[in-house]
Amino acid sequence: MRILYGLLAVACVAVAVRFIWAGLQEWRGGGGRPLSRDGFLVDEQTRAGWDRSGLIMGLVAVFIAVMLADAGIINFNDPVRTEVLVFAAAVVGLVICVGLYSTILFFNRPKFLVPPRHRGELGAFAAQRRQREGRHAR
């Protein structure tokens, strides 16, 4: 079981590197849509939200990797306090990052976490509402 946790942790680190790299590209103004090249099952607003929140998604993957690695080394019958604290800190970090990811995706807030070139865009909720209102006005 420990090997499985280790392999999953390594996979999460690979995903984290991809998201963080794409997020840095967005912050540097690299152009394009590095995380959402295809439109599989989502609309344009959601894809734009993914691109705005690449760094935060990378941090989510890092926290999941830490939790998996910690679960792989912990002795569940007699856990060491440090291991439990590391796991708890990773859970808290994960919850905070998921909350930040949601606010960036849906509301494009807080602005200081949104790449500068995307700060003027609408969040997914506001963009979908505007699109619906435009359809009804015709």
Side-chain angles (χ1 to χ4, degrees), residues 27-134:
W27 273 90
R28 292 182 184 138
R33 296 263 189 225
L35 289 175
S36 60
R37 297 196 195 292
D38 58 356
F40 184 69
L41 296 179
V42 295
D43 59 356
E44 182 62 31
Q45 293 84 13
T46 305
R47 284 186 291 165
W50 286 349
D51 292 328
R52 288 191 300 264
S53 58
L55 283 175
I56 300 296
M57 290 183 352
L59 289 177
V60 166
V62 166
F63 284 122
I64 291 172
V66 169
M67 290 167 53
L68 287 168
D70 193 45
I73 64 171
I74 196 168
N75 180 357
F76 289 105
N77 296 327
D78 186 28
V80 178
R81 182 176 179 175
T82 306
E83 294 169 346
V84 173
L85 289 176
V86 167
F87 192 84
V91 169
V92 169
L94 177 70
V95 169
I96 290 171
C97 285
V98 167
L100 288 173
Y101 166 75
S102 299
T103 61
I104 292 170
L105 174 69
F106 297 126
F107 305 109
N108 205 25
R109 299 259 192 266
K111 293 293 185 185
F112 72 90
L113 291 178
V114 176
R117 68 190 196 113
H118 294 293
R119 290 181 182 161
E121 296 177 2
L122 297 172
F125 284 163
Q128 289 173 354
R129 184 174 50 245
R130 182 175 284 177
Q131 187 178 21
R132 265 194 315 262
E133 289 170 356

